[in-house]
Amino acid sequence: MAAHRLSPSLNRLLFAVKYSSFQSRCCAGHCYAHYSTVSSPSEKTFDKILIANRGEIACRVIKTCRKMGIQTVAVHSDVDSSAVHVKMADEAVCVGPAPTNKSYLNMDAIMEAVRATGAQAVHPGYGFLSENKEFAKRLAAENVAFIGPDTHAIMAMGDKIESKLIAKAAEVNTIPGYDGVVKTAEEAVTISQQIGYPVMIKASAGGGGKGMRIAWNDKETREGFRFSSQEAASSFGDDRLLIEKFIDNPRHIEIQVLADKHGNALWLNERECSIQRRNQKVVEEAPSTFLDPETRRAMGEQAVKLAKAVQYSSAGTVEFLVDSKKNFYFLEMNTRLQVEHPITECITGLDLVEQMIRVAKGYHLKYKQEDIPINGWAIESRVYAEDPYKSFGLPSVGRLSQYQEPLNLSNVRVDSGIQEGSDISIYYDPMISKLVTYGATRAEALAKMEDALDNYVIRGVTHNIPLLREIITHPRFISGDITTNFLPEVYPEGFKGLQLGADSRRELLASAAALHITAQLRSQRLLGDLRVSSAPVELSRWDLVVELEEGKHSVEVTKSGNVYTVEVDGEQVEVSGQWNLASPLLPLSINGTHRMLQCLSRDASGRINLQYKGTSFKIRVLSKLAAELNSYMPEKVPEDTSSLLRSPMPGTVVAVSVKPGDTVAEGQEICVIEAMKMQNSLTAARGAKVKSVHCKAGETVGEGDLLVELE
């Protein structure tokens, strides 16, 4: 009998109904501080909006459009044909193959999609074409509303050189630096010497940390000029650079602004965005622990001055660097919706996407400055498919074999554009989601974030939850003592994961031992007399050896009901729980304290991979006899990697700087790998002669692929 296939439009309808219910549950039912879920029926805006983006931000815009009764059109590349945003939208149009310049940056294809679907407006999200003046011009020429500022504001603020001059004229505090375009590496060195090191080299166009490098000397200036110009050209199609004085140990604090087409403008408080790696934000919060009401007002008023100076209309963000004495300096203005906008929505109750749509239609702002509150505290963790143990996060690719968002918790919001089975590819940003928690106080929001990270199930890709959890529980972060140098200062040797103290070690060892015995007893119950069990039914005491981090620990386990008493290093630890081995989550009570562990894997040989306080630990649990016999097994000799250069991430080879027979010095560049539009220079670990080269420019490589061999 032939199988019946649903039409793509019916498939999208069924998915929309299912996903709409799911989204309203997580966004309205579980977080009382979220933006309003009610829109005024008397305000007519648009019948149909095309979202010129993908992933979580496309889903986010679709949610508000659905609330406002607006039909949506999704655009997608061929590899995104089954993506969540495509299923959520009322219509979907393929705009090209996977590479962004052939799909999401393909203006011709997107304009054709606008015409074919009859969309009256386009929401660009962030990234891609969101700050592209030519795209906005083309839409205006066809009488299609661009849900963002007018073209002249995009042009003025999209160019960091021009925007700085405008800011100066508007009496906004600016960073000392060179206001022209830097054309060559040697000119960059001369200018940097005049300004005084350290300096920040950055792309004139774009944002998101791409095309930005800090230089502390002439050599780093030359390298920074090269990498920044290449990244800028790749990401924004514009390789122009400028140079500014680098403010050492600053805070990165931004002001959300909202303006209409009638000269009205508001500032919607601040977001603290100082936790960064490679100039890209990792954790944000609103409000900031650092600002007092006077400084907040001064920054807000300057942000509004700048918005009015360029006749800004829509939601936008003015970014500032703030030094230890609360002096603040204009950094740039992002003429779009920011990634971290949800935390502003949490503390103000405003739906920023709804406000952008209203402004684009020509309505006046509904609010005055005195109407804007700060209710409670919100924190956002950017959950990425990254390996946090490599430079605080190098991209990871793969398929999400298991995925479960922590929406069972109250006051948790998850903005995502993926689902179980989704692929994280090399073509796009590796963000999985934005995890947002809210509380009446900062302490409450942080405690909720800790729970949310522990309850977040992600399998199939490496992710940065270990780093996120360590950040939000670190004493410096909790006290509010943070700057943009937080990560390198707290982890000078790189991130190593949770460092176990004596109590944490005992908790982990006891949990692993109890889990091992639970699995043994379960196997015996299921298999009965079909095999000789290593754990007879009547046994209630076990002597085990648990291996963890090169250490071996003798433990004694006794069981009474669901409670295990485990003696570890002379201390007793009580572990109890529901012990559902089919669930990825393992809720336990350890000495009366609730802990949420995750069993990532286990096998019959006693190997268990447990996620504890965000970090995964490889553990082996053996009987005493098995441990004794195991000591006679030969140890595997690790590979000598000092002569091998392997790719630390999937990406594309941009350049190879050596050939067989060349002699390289320690730290010398060997090749450059581009991943997610960021360029990474790979260098020699020691001085040596190049034996062979296994890659060439333009090739795609995977994590661990051999690039160069040294003699």
Side-chain angles (χ1 to χ4, degrees):
M1 187 180 199
H4 291 284
R5 290 180 59 86
L6 297 175
S7 69
S9 58
L10 183 55
N11 251 326
R12 279 195 292 275
L13 175 62
L14 293 174
F15 186 88
V17 171
K18 175 182 176 183
Y19 204 79
S20 174
S21 171
F22 170 77
Q23 288 290 352
S24 63
R25 184 172 71 250
C26 72
C27 290
H30 280 298
C31 185
Y32 53 81
H34 281 327
Y35 49 80
S36 167
T37 55
V38 179
S39 186
S40 174
S42 63
E43 286 189 345
K44 177 68 176 174
T45 55
F46 303 102
D47 296 321
K48 186 183 290 186
I49 291 175
L50 181 142
I51 297 102
N53 217 297
R54 66 179 299 278
E56 65 85 14
I57 190 57
C59 295
R60 163 71 189 88
V61 174
I62 291 170
K63 279 192 297 180
T64 289
C65 288
R66 186 176 295 151
K67 178 185 73 175
M68 298 175 71
I70 301 169
Q71 287 194 311
T72 54
V73 179
V75 296
H76 63 91
S77 65
D78 53 7
V79 298
D80 271 347
S81 59
S82 297
V84 173
H85 76 282
V86 173
K87 296 176 182 178
M88 282 183 69
D90 298 296
E91 300 175 57
V93 179
C94 182
V95 289
T100 55
N101 64 331
K102 296 180 180 178
S103 51
Y104 296 105
L105 289 173
N106 185 345
M107 274 190 264
D108 290 339
I110 293 175
M111 291 302 301
E112 181 55 38
V114 171
R115 297 185 200 102
T117 59
Q120 300 163 316
V122 171
H123 197 300
Y126 55 76
F128 294 138
L129 298 172
S130 63
E131 295 176 284
N132 189 299
K133 57 183 180 292
E134 294 304 321
F135 183 54
K137 277 183 181 178
R138 291 182 65 171
L139 289 171
E142 301 204 17
N143 201 30
V144 176
F146 178 74
I147 303 177
D150 293 334
T151 307
H152 68 273
I154 297 175
M155 293 174 64
M157 293 293 100
D159 187 310
K160 291 185 177 66
I161 296 169
E162 185 178 348
S163 67
K164 187 174 178 181
L165 295 173
I166 293 171
K168 279 184 177 179
E171 299 182 340
V172 175
N173 304 343
T174 58
I175 301 171
Y178 179 71
D179 295 333
V181 177
V182 184
K183 298 177 182 177
T184 67
E186 291 311 311
E187 185 182 5
V189 168
T190 301
I191 292 168
S192 299
Q193 290 172 346
Q194 292 170 351
I195 295 172
Y197 288 109
V199 297
M200 172 68 82
I201 303 167
K202 61 184 182 181
S204 177
K210 295 178 176 65
M212 295 177 69
R213 288 290 191 283
I214 300 167
W216 295 81
N217 53 49
D218 293 353
K219 179 175 181 290
E220 291 182 3
T221 298
R222 292 185 180 94
E223 291 175 351
F225 180 89
R226 177 163 65 102
F227 286 128
S228 291
S229 58
Q230 289 172 353
E231 285 178 5
S234 174
S235 297
F236 317 119
D238 184 343
D239 64 357
R240 293 175 303 144
L241 302 177
L242 70 156
I243 299 179
E244 292 177 337
K245 179 70 177 175
F246 176 65
I247 309 297
D248 202 9
N249 286 315
R251 286 175 178 260
H252 185 139
I253 300 177
E254 60 191 26
I255 301 291
Q256 176 72 58
V257 296
L258 181 64
D260 63 22
K261 297 179 183 295
H262 308 284
N264 304 303
L266 307 170
W267 48 275
L268 309 182
N269 304 311
E270 81 278 7
R271 295 185 289 256
E272 171 76 70
C273 306
S274 297
I275 305 297
Q276 303 180 1
R277 48 91 176 97
R278 298 189 300 281
N279 300 309
Q280 291 182 310
K281 301 160 189 172
V282 181
V283 176
E284 302 103 341
E285 60 182 309
S288 168
T289 61
F290 189 61
L291 296 192
D292 52 61
E294 292 74 21
T295 308
R296 176 179 295 116
R297 183 171 56 254
M299 292 176 70
E301 288 173 352
Q302 286 201 14
V304 166
K305 268 188 183 180
L306 182 61
K308 289 186 173 182
V310 292
Q311 299 176 349
Y312 195 85
S313 61
S314 193
T317 299
V318 181
E319 301 194 350
F320 293 95
L321 291 182
V322 186
D323 68 19
S324 59
K325 296 179 181 178
K326 297 183 182 175
N327 299 309
F328 56 90
Y329 305 94
F330 169 71
L331 183 62
E332 63 183 357
M333 184 176 189
N334 292 306
T335 56
R336 54 171 167 79
L337 195 64
Q338 288 280 88
V339 176
E340 57 274 18
H341 77 273
I343 54 178
T344 294
E345 293 182 329
C346 276
I347 67 166
T348 63
L350 298 181
D351 180 335
L352 292 180
V353 174
E354 180 181 2
Q355 298 306 314
M356 293 177 76
I357 293 171
R358 290 185 71 257
V359 168
K361 187 61 178 176
Y363 287 108
H364 287 75
L365 294 182
K366 285 183 177 180
Y367 310 99
K368 298 186 182 302
Q369 190 61 56
E370 56 267 25
D371 298 328
I372 306 303
I374 298 181
N375 287 329
W377 214 283
I379 297 172
E380 176 178 291
S381 292
R382 298 194 187 190
V383 182
Y384 281 103
E386 289 182 338
D387 186 345
Y389 301 97
K390 296 177 180 177
S391 299
F392 300 112
L394 293 183
S396 169
V397 298
R399 176 166 293 175
L400 292 166
S401 57
Q402 197 169 10
Y403 183 73
Q404 183 176 311
E405 296 172 349
L407 298 171
N408 57 307
L409 304 176
S410 62
N411 296 340
V412 171
R413 169 176 168 176
V414 184
D415 281 20
S416 67
I418 47 88
Q419 60 186 350
E420 198 166 287
S422 292
D423 288 312
I424 307 295
S425 75
I426 64 171
Y427 296 108
Y428 311 118
D429 188 274
M431 181 185 286
I432 293 173
S433 74
K434 301 181 306 198
L435 177 63
V436 179
T437 58
Y438 172 85
T441 64
R442 186 171 186 261
E444 190 179 317
L446 282 173
K448 186 63 67 175
M449 180 61 73
E450 190 175 334
D451 285 346
L453 290 168
D454 285 344
N455 279 269
Y456 208 144
V457 177
I458 303 172
R459 306 281 192 274
V461 296
T462 305
H463 55 75
N464 68 332
I465 282 180
L467 175 62
L468 294 172
R469 198 185 188 283
E470 283 297 290
I471 290 170
I472 61 110
T473 57
H474 194 280
R476 264 190 64 177
F477 184 84
I478 292 171
S479 70
D481 178 19
I482 57 177
T483 70
T484 55
N485 288 330
F486 178 89
L487 288 178
E489 286 175 358
V490 171
Y491 308 106
E493 303 300 320
F495 179 66
K496 307 295 183 185
L498 172 66
Q499 301 304 296
L500 294 169
D503 290 343
S504 294
R505 187 178 301 277
R506 279 192 293 270
E507 284 191 6
L508 182 57
L509 292 169
S511 301
L515 178 61
H516 176 77
I517 296 301
T518 299
Q520 291 287 313
L521 293 175
R522 179 177 180 272
S523 295
Q524 182 201 342
R525 285 194 302 273
L526 291 175
L527 297 173
D529 295 328
L530 296 179
R531 71 172 190 174
V532 178
S533 174
S534 60
V537 174
E538 65 273 9
L539 198 61
S540 60
R541 180 184 176 280
W542 298 265
D543 290 319
L544 304 172
V545 174
V546 185
E547 299 175 355
L548 171 67
E549 295 179 337
E550 309 300 325
K552 296 183 180 181
H553 303 261
S554 295
V555 303
E556 180 184 293
V557 184
T558 56
K559 182 177 185 290
S560 176
N562 283 332
V563 179
Y564 290 93
T565 301
V566 186
E567 187 171 309
V568 185
D569 300 333
E571 298 278 345
Q572 285 195 342
V573 182
E574 280 198 356
V575 184
S576 61
Q578 295 178 352
W579 303 108
N580 181 359
L581 301 183
S583 171
L585 296 173
L586 196 62
L588 299 178
S589 175
I590 306 176
N591 283 343
T593 301
H594 173 73
R595 300 283 188 212
M596 183 63 77
L597 279 68
Q598 294 189 32
C599 182
L600 305 180
S601 65
R602 57 184 177 83
D603 61 26
S605 68
R607 289 185 174 87
I608 302 174
N609 191 357
L610 273 183
Q611 183 173 306
Y612 170 75
K613 294 186 177 181
T615 297
S616 63
F617 293 91
K618 288 181 168 59
I619 305 166
R620 193 173 188 190
V621 185
L622 300 169
S623 67
K624 274 198 169 182
L625 175 60
E628 290 173 10
L629 295 175
N630 192 59
S631 65
Y632 294 102
M633 297 293 289
E635 291 187 14
K636 182 180 179 180
V637 179
E639 178 186 41
D640 178 13
T641 59
S642 63
S643 299
L644 305 174
L645 179 66
R646 297 187 181 275
S647 179
M649 78 210 88
T652 303
V653 179
V654 174
V656 180
S657 307
V658 298
K659 61 183 185 298
D662 287 353
T663 300
V664 295
E666 180 181 348
Q668 182 177 333
E669 180 180 289
I670 290 181
C671 63
V672 177
I673 303 290
E674 181 177 275
M676 283 36 171
K677 300 299 181 184
M678 296 292 285
Q679 298 202 353
N680 304 271
S681 175
L682 306 185
T683 59
R686 60 180 177 84
K689 191 174 183 181
V690 177
K691 180 180 178 181
S692 57
V693 177
H694 299 269
C695 63
K696 60 184 178 181
E699 282 187 341
T700 299
V701 295
E703 181 179 353
D705 284 1
L706 181 61
L707 303 176
V708 174
E709 284 185 86
L710 304 177
E711 291 185 354

